[in-house]
Every structure is written in structure tokens, then in C-alpha cells.
Amino acid sequence: MTQQSTALLNPRIPGHRHDEDGLIPLLTHPPAAESAVRAQRNALRILVVEGEPNAAMSLVQLLRRHGYQAESVATGAKALQAHHNCDLVLLDLELPDLDGLEICRSIRAICDTPIIVVTARDTELDRVLGLQAGSDDYLAKPYGFRELMARIEAVMRRARPQRPLPQVITRGLLRIDAGTREIRLGGRLIEVTRKEFDLLHLLASQPETVISRRQLMVQVWDDSWSRPGRTLDTHVSSLRNKLGSSSWIVTVRGVGFRLGHA
């Protein structure tokens, strides 16, 4: 890894530490945030298998900042114990105890959890061996974080095909028709932009679910790398104004949004 890439991926993170097994706690929240933690279970869970502590720490931080749940283990043995509780594995091949290719084969032999190899081994033979061992993608170090996120989204699209959203959704006085792309509230037509419609339709299609800011950016804006921010908040605010109440879209702090009711 180049010095520039190391600086990007290896900053020391105040308030975090590695235990002797190399495991970074998945989430650390005070008791008051338990509801947000429960909601965040819907976020993609990523296991980072990386033997270099600084690189692991920094990558976990970046993934969390972009809406993923992430934890890290430093050994192959720990990876074989922890992969059952994740949705995707980012696997370095250079581990202190076991060869990463063996880890890949072992995981693939018992489950279909997506695996992206992220390693300094960058020859054509290395890539072929990684894919033959069962990885879904292969990314050589150094790499750009945006590229990694794009590859994560691509692998998960293949692993989790999205079900089509319902055409007509009725929630109390709210009626959303995807065929005519109309939103009506108590029979009154609500004029919205294309993105506002897509945003409300997605939230209404999963009324009991908190949808992460990250997922909203990917599904509504087809943006897999930007940090969710002002664009999403502006559209939520506009929708609340047009619907006449902020209670139609509920903010779950630190996680995302869910459909509410007036």
C-alpha cells in the first residue's frame, strides 16, 4: 500500500481500540440509543478480515460513516467464527495464521455469504486463484474507497435481487400510485418532484422499517459513494411541507427514516 493510501486508510481513531483478538466492537452506543441500534440492524453488516490493525480500524470507521455496520477481525480463525453474523466479507489474503484463500474456500463450502478479496496480491494468477476459491470480486491494494463501495453495492445487488415495489400503496389518508406517479392525501393531489415521489414510495413500501440514509441514496439517487447529507435532508423537508405534517416521515437519529402517519 502506498504511503498516501496508508494515510487515508490508517488514521488512529480516538475512542476505539483493538482487543487481543483483533476484534473491533460492532456498535458502541449508550443505553439511550437502544432503539436506534435495533433499527440499524437493517443496515448491511460487513466483516473486515484484515491483519494490519491501523488499516482495519480506518476501514471500519469509513464503512460506518457511510451507513454500514462493520466489525473487524485480525486472524483467519476469528473470521471463521464471525462470518456467520455478517452479510458480506472483505477478506485480506495476508493473515498471520491462515492463508486467505483457505478462509475463502472454507466460508464458501458452508454458505453463500458474498466475499470480496481486498489484498496486496495483484498478479493475474492471484486474481484467478481468488475467484476460483469462491470470492465474488477481487480488489488489489492500494484502492480508492469509492471503488470499494461501488463493488460492495454491485456484489450485493447480485446477492440480493430487489423485489419490485408495489404499484399502489395506501397508508391511511395517503395513497401512492406508481403507475400514474401520483400522490394523494385525503383525495387531494400532492405535486412532487420525481425524486420526492421515489423517496416517499420507497419509505411507504416498507412502512414498519427504518431505511438507512445510505440505502435511500443508493435506491433513489443511484449513488453508491456520496455521503448522505443535504440532498436527502432537503427532499425530506420538502415532502413534509407538501404533506402538511412532519409526522409523515419520521427521523431515526443516526440511522435513517421511516414512514409515519399524520
Side-chain angles (χ1 to χ4, degrees):
M1 184 175 291
T2 65
Q3 183 176 358
Q4 182 178 2
S5 298
T6 302
L8 172 64
L9 294 175
N10 291 349
R12 299 306 300 175
I13 304 172
H16 290 67
R17 64 179 179 83
H18 290 272
D19 64 18
E20 60 185 9
D21 295 320
L23 180 66
I24 299 176
L26 179 61
L27 291 171
T28 303
H29 291 285
E34 288 181 359
S35 60
V37 174
R38 288 193 296 270
Q40 206 163 20
R41 290 172 183 164
N42 294 313
L44 189 67
R45 298 168 300 174
I46 298 178
L47 176 67
V48 176
V49 185
E50 168 62 66
E52 206 291 310
N54 287 344
M57 183 80 78
S58 182
L59 181 53
V60 166
Q61 183 195 42
L62 288 170
L63 290 168
R64 290 177 179 174
R65 283 181 177 176
H66 285 80
Y68 299 108
Q69 295 189 57
E71 66 178 45
S72 172
V73 293
T75 67
K78 286 294 179 182
L80 292 176
Q81 295 175 5
H83 76 87
H84 302 283
N85 298 318
C86 72
D87 300 307
L88 179 139
V89 177
L90 298 180
L91 175 64
D92 189 6
L93 299 182
E94 301 292 343
L95 299 172
D97 58 340
L98 301 171
D99 183 78
L101 292 177
E102 289 303 316
I103 301 302
C104 190
R105 293 188 188 98
S106 297
I107 293 175
R108 186 56 67 240
I110 60 176
C111 69
D112 295 324
T113 302
I115 301 169
I116 300 178
V117 169
V118 182
T119 181
R121 300 182 191 176
D122 61 354
T123 68
E124 180 183 10
L125 178 59
D126 289 324
R127 292 191 292 272
V128 169
L129 291 175
L131 295 170
Q132 289 179 340
S135 69
D136 297 272
D137 201 353
Y138 195 104
L139 182 60
K141 299 178 182 179
Y143 58 87
F145 187 69
R146 291 180 179 181
E147 180 183 2
L148 175 62
M149 286 196 296
R151 288 176 181 267
I152 289 172
E153 298 295 342
V155 166
M156 294 311 299
R157 280 197 298 270
R158 296 192 293 269
R160 291 179 170 179
Q162 294 179 7
R163 291 176 295 178
L165 299 180
Q167 284 290 99
V168 178
I169 302 172
T170 302
R171 306 292 179 213
L173 298 177
L174 185 66
R175 186 178 190 273
I176 303 172
D177 189 327
T180 61
R181 293 189 67 83
E182 288 183 347
I183 296 175
R184 293 184 178 272
L185 185 61
R188 177 174 61 91
L189 180 65
I190 306 297
E191 297 288 346
V192 296
T193 67
R194 181 168 62 90
K195 292 300 185 185
E196 288 171 351
F197 180 91
D198 293 341
L199 175 58
L200 189 61
H201 185 221
L202 179 57
L203 291 171
S205 70
Q206 303 177 56
E208 305 302 323
T209 301
V210 178
I211 303 181
S212 71
R213 298 170 68 90
R214 173 79 182 152
Q215 183 179 346
L216 291 170
M217 289 297 297
V218 170
Q219 292 191 234
V220 176
W221 280 270
D222 194 26
D223 186 340
S224 62
W225 56 267
S226 296
R227 291 183 61 185
R230 182 168 299 178
T231 296
L232 177 55
D233 292 333
T234 298
H235 282 75
V236 168
S237 178
S238 177
L239 274 173
R240 285 168 170 166
N241 289 334
K242 291 178 179 181
L243 294 171
S245 172
S246 61
S247 61
W248 276 112
I249 302 177
V250 178
T251 300
V252 180
R253 189 174 300 277
V255 183
F257 300 92
R258 65 172 176 83
L259 188 72
H261 55 82

